[in-house]
């Protein structure tokens, strides 16, 4: 047996990345980023607000958190929906008490299903970010450009109409994209995305329709990842988030501003036994001088305004 | 996959129990050789498929996993390197050699520190499964040439890409001049490998100290990783009173170089470096010492003697008699 000759050919083996979306850049060699008022850390809280359809397809893959029991899966359908009915309001109250402004990455379909939820997010002064249409509509390269564009346009349209906001941020269900996704996002007026997990600062991505900013969002300290993939305790989540903050905060003294991202889920951190751990994390971060909290869109705008190189 | 029947045994080494082996004496009479092997890797955005293993769980491009790996080459490697510098460790880089082409800046930073480069294939998304022997030889040639061209180093070590192997792999590595393989986890001391030519040794690497296994398979927290590194070290250090041991810490900058992980790791390697009997070394240096001190020959003779033990008594009781 042997493999076709092409298996030992490497057409993209050359300097830099093996695609044209962005250039390689060393985090520690960039011009220092200066946040408003000289802040050292921009605190970006991103709450996932998700709808998992009972009949969600399993092909080509399921987004994390997907229903996993035989149809009809009452168990996980309702457990995830708990976040939309109860959990999110606990998180909103906590953020309100702390005077924090967050981004809420919301599946577009939720705007039509649960308008009260959208109202509460908007009234709280938070940013609405589009989180695709629903958790069953994953983006992947098997979708035609036309079909993918329709999903993006529908999600953005629903959220823009319900919130009255411009909705320029995007998070794909499962952080999954196809080859065309960044081009289509830019075409539909999206200015920044949260899918790519390769940096602690924003950077510029090329699309056929102009620049798209990749905003940092931690992958492994996401509350769902720690709870549902690593099966670690809430205290372990708190410790890792604090440790993450400590290192970024320390680095900011020598290398300029950093983004501390805090991805959470309304159906995870919104649980009664978990929400006080979220408070502990927020209290810890806010006890430091030089922490600037803003929705991801404002952090992105500040980054662009400062004329930061990618 | 070949049509040949599957084997029940690798057939690459013979048994030798831990007690009563020939004594290994490391340079400077150190008890333990500790080496750190950062896997500096490049995973492709749109790799070809291999019938035995699909590179990504999702259809190409799997941007979440791709970007997670890319974090190591944009941010994580610097934190990892700084922690190793502070503890006085050079790295033995398990290198996807195409990274020389993609990110020469990283290669230069490693080379400037006197780090060793060994080969971890071309890309971590290209496996040796289903290759014929000549195709696999071509990968080995590519690795030697690329590392020589970019660093001036002659490859000494090998870790197969994504730990993919064929039965002939060890033979053709040794034939090409590779001195040590990291693909086998059966011992805490270097051991001869049964190959057709040359004197290939199996270098203790480790599955259980490997950050990717610890964090992602065992689901261990970063602080607990620091604890198990220290415990592994304490035991091997103690046993090093009797005969030299080896401890390897295999790393991935996209994992250990995350902000929430780096400090616990840094503290653990500073703990190790704080012991007098530690030889902070590289894979190449351990292999050289294993030969120059006669350990390879002594261990080979002990293995031969043990396995030639009287049939009626059986090899196990033969081993006990030496007590």
């Amino acid at each position: 047996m042997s493999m076709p000759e092409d298996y030992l050919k490497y057409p993209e083996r050359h300097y830099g990345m093996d695609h044209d979306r962005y250039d390689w850049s060393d985090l520690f060699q960039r011009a220092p980023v200066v946040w408003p008022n000289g802040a050292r850390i921009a605190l970006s809280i991103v709450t996932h607000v998700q709808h998992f359809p009972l009949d969600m397809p399993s092909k080509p893959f399921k987004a994390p958190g997907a229903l996993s029991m035989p149809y009809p899966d009452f168990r996980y359908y309702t457990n995830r929906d708990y976040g939309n009915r109860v959990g999110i309001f606990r998180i909103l109250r906590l953020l309100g008490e702390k005077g924090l402004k967050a981004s809420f990455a919301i599946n577009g379909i939720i705007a039509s299903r649960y308008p009260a939820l959208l109202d509460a997010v908007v009234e709280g002064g938070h940013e609405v970010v589009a989180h695709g249409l629903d958790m069953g509509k994953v983006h992947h390269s098997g979708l035609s450009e036309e079909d993918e564009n329709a999903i993006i346009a529908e999600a953005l349209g629903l959220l823009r109409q319900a919130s009255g906001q411009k909705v320029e941020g995007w998070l794909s269900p499962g952080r999954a994209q196809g080859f065309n996704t960044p081009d289509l996002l830019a075409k539909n007026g999206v200015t920044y995305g949260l899918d790519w997990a390769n940096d602690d600062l924003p950077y510029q991505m090329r699309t056929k329709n102009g620049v798209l900013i990749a905003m940092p969002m931690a992958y492994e300290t996401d509350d769902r990842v720690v709870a549902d993939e690593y099966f670690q305790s809430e205290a372990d989540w708190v410790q890792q988030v604090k440790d993450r903050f400590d290192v970024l905060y320390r680095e900011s003294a020598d290398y300029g501003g950093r983004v501390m991202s805090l991805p959470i889920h309304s159906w995870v951190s919104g649980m009664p036994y978990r929400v006080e751990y979220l408070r502990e994390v927020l209290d810890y971060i806010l006890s430091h001088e030089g922490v600037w909290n803003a929705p991801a869109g404002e952090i992105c705008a500040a980054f662009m305004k400062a004329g930061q190189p990618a | 996959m070949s049509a040949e029947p599957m084997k029940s045994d690798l057939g690459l080494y013979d048994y030798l129990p831990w007690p009563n082996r020939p004594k290994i004496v490391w340079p400077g009479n150190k008890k333990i050789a500790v080496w750190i092997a950062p896997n500096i890797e490049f995973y492709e955005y749109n790799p070809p498929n291999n019938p035995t293993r699909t590179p990504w769980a999702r259809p190409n491009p799997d941007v979440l996993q791709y970007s997670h790996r890319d974090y190591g080459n944009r941010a994580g490697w610097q934190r990892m390197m700084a922690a190793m510098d502070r503890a006085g460790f050079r790295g033995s880089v398990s290198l996807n050699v195409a990274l020389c082409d993609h990110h020469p800046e990283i290669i230069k930073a490693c080379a400037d520190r006197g780090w060793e480069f060994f080969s971890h294939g071309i890309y971590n998304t290209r496996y040796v499964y289903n290759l014929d022997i000549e195709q696999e030889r071509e990968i080995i040639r590519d690795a030697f040439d690329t590392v020589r061209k970019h660093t001036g180093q002659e490859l000494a070590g090998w870790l197969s890409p994504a730990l993919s192997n064929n039965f002939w792999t060890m033979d053709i590595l040794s034939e090409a001049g590779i001195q040590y393989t990291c693909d086998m986890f059966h011992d805490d001391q270097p051991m001869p490998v049964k190959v057709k030519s040359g004197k290939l040794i199996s270098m203790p690497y480790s599955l259980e100290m490997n950050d990717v296994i610890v964090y992602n398979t065992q689901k261990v927290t970063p602080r607990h990783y620091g604890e198990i590194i220290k415990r592994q070290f304490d035991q091997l250090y103690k046993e090093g009173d009797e005969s030299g041991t080896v401890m390897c810490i295999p790393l991935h900058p996209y994992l250990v170089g995350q902000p929430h992980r780096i400090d616990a790791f840094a503290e653990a390697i500073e703990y190790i470096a704080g012991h007098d009997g530690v030889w902070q070394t590289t894979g190449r240096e351990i292999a050289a010492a294993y030969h120059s001190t006669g350990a390879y020959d002594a261990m080979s003779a002990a293995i031969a003697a043990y396995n030639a033990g009287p049939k009626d008594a059986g090899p196990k009781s033969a081993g006990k008699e030496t007590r």
Side-chain angles (χ1 to χ4, degrees), chain A residues 3 7 12-16 18 22 24 26-27 141 174 197 199-200 220 232 239 243 250-251, chain B residues 45 58 60 66-67 70-71 73-74 78-79 101-102 105 126-127 135 142 146 219 223 261 263:
Chain A
M3 287 288 284
Y7 196 72
E12 298 295 336
R13 184 173 173 180
H14 52 67
Y15 180 78
D18 59 338
Y22 55 84
W24 179 79
D26 176 352
L27 175 67
S141 49
D199 217 300
D200 293 318
E220 296 147 307
Q232 292 167 2
Q239 190 65 64
D243 287 349
R250 187 173 70 214
E251 285 177 0
Chain B
Y45 184 64
R58 296 174 177 175
N60 296 348
Y66 175 88
S67 63
D70 187 36
Y71 184 91
N73 295 334
R74 291 173 76 86
Q78 289 274 27
R79 292 193 188 103
D101 301 301
H102 291 287
E105 297 89 345
R126 306 266 179 154
Y127 315 111
Q135 289 179 318
D142 184 337
T146 304
K219 322 285 191 196
R223 289 187 176 213
R261 291 181 173 142
D263 281 4

Side-chain angles (χ1 to χ4, degrees), chain B residues 83-314:
Chain B
M84 290 171 64
D85 284 351
R86 281 198 303 277
F89 275 102
R90 287 164 297 151
S92 308
V93 178
S94 169
L95 181 69
N96 289 153
V97 300
L99 196 124
C100 294
D101 301 301
H102 291 287
H103 302 316
E105 297 89 345
I106 299 176
I107 299 297
K108 181 175 186 306
C110 297
D112 286 349
R113 286 164 169 76
W115 288 17
E116 177 192 345
F117 298 93
F118 68 89
S119 173
H120 189 28
I122 312 300
Y123 285 106
N124 230 48
T125 36
R126 306 266 179 154
Y127 315 111
V128 304
Y129 302 123
N130 307 303
L131 296 187
D132 65 36
I133 194 166
E134 281 311 315
Q135 289 179 318
E136 194 167 347
R137 282 190 173 115
E138 172 54 30
I139 287 180
I140 296 168
R141 269 194 300 275
D142 184 337
F144 267 93
D145 291 349
T146 304
V147 168
R148 191 185 298 119
K149 179 179 149 199
H150 288 267
T151 74
Q153 290 188 23
E154 204 63 20
L155 281 183
W158 195 274
L159 177 71
S160 288
L163 308 190
S164 62
N165 279 291
N166 292 310
F167 277 104
W168 59 64
T169 300
M170 298 301 151
D171 287 329
I172 63 175
L173 289 175
S174 190
E175 150 200 297
I178 291 292
Q179 298 165 38
Y180 68 92
T181 166
C182 302
D183 275 73
M184 294 185 278
F185 311 121
H186 58 299
D187 220 291
D188 286 322
Q189 290 178 327
M191 280 290 139
V193 180
K194 295 200 285 185
V195 284
K196 287 181 179 160
S197 64
K199 292 186 170 182
L200 184 69
I201 64 178
S202 170
M203 184 65 69
Y205 186 69
S206 176
L207 211 51
E208 303 227 14
M209 288 296 110
N210 188 326
D211 61 351
V212 71
I213 303 297
V214 172
Y215 296 136
N216 291 350
T217 306
Q218 312 283 26
K219 322 285 191 196
V220 156
T221 64
R223 289 187 176 213
H224 190 65
Y225 183 40
E227 288 306 307
I228 64 179
I229 289 172
K230 288 191 268 187
R231 281 182 169 264
Q232 176 98 341
F233 169 77
D234 285 344
Q235 184 65 27
L236 289 171
Y237 189 71
K238 192 166 63 182
E239 293 178 17
D241 279 339
E242 296 165 33
S243 179
T245 53
V246 175
M247 174 170 170
C248 181
I249 310 175
L251 299 173
H252 296 73
Y254 76 91
L255 295 172
V256 78
Q258 293 280 343
H260 62 292
R261 291 181 173 142
I262 192 63
D263 281 4
F265 166 74
E267 195 236 315
I269 61 171
E270 280 166 34
Y271 170 83
I272 290 173
H275 290 69
D276 284 341
V278 174
W279 179 29
Q280 294 179 258
T281 185
T282 64
R284 186 195 302 274
E285 289 173 358
I286 297 170
Y290 192 68
H291 288 297
S292 69
T293 61
Y296 177 92
D297 291 335
M299 215 60 89
S300 297
I303 292 167
Y306 177 83
N307 289 283
K311 246 199 167 152
D312 49 353

Side-chain angles (χ1 to χ4, degrees), chain A residues 38-71:
Chain A
R40 296 171 64 171
I41 293 287
L43 171 62
S44 169
I45 304 164
V46 180
T47 308
H48 297 57
V49 184
Q50 304 178 318
H51 175 65
F52 293 84
L54 196 59
D55 60 350
M56 62 190 297
S58 57
K59 299 282 176 188
F61 57 90
K62 287 180 173 178
L67 313 190
S68 54
M69 298 302 289
Y71 178 87

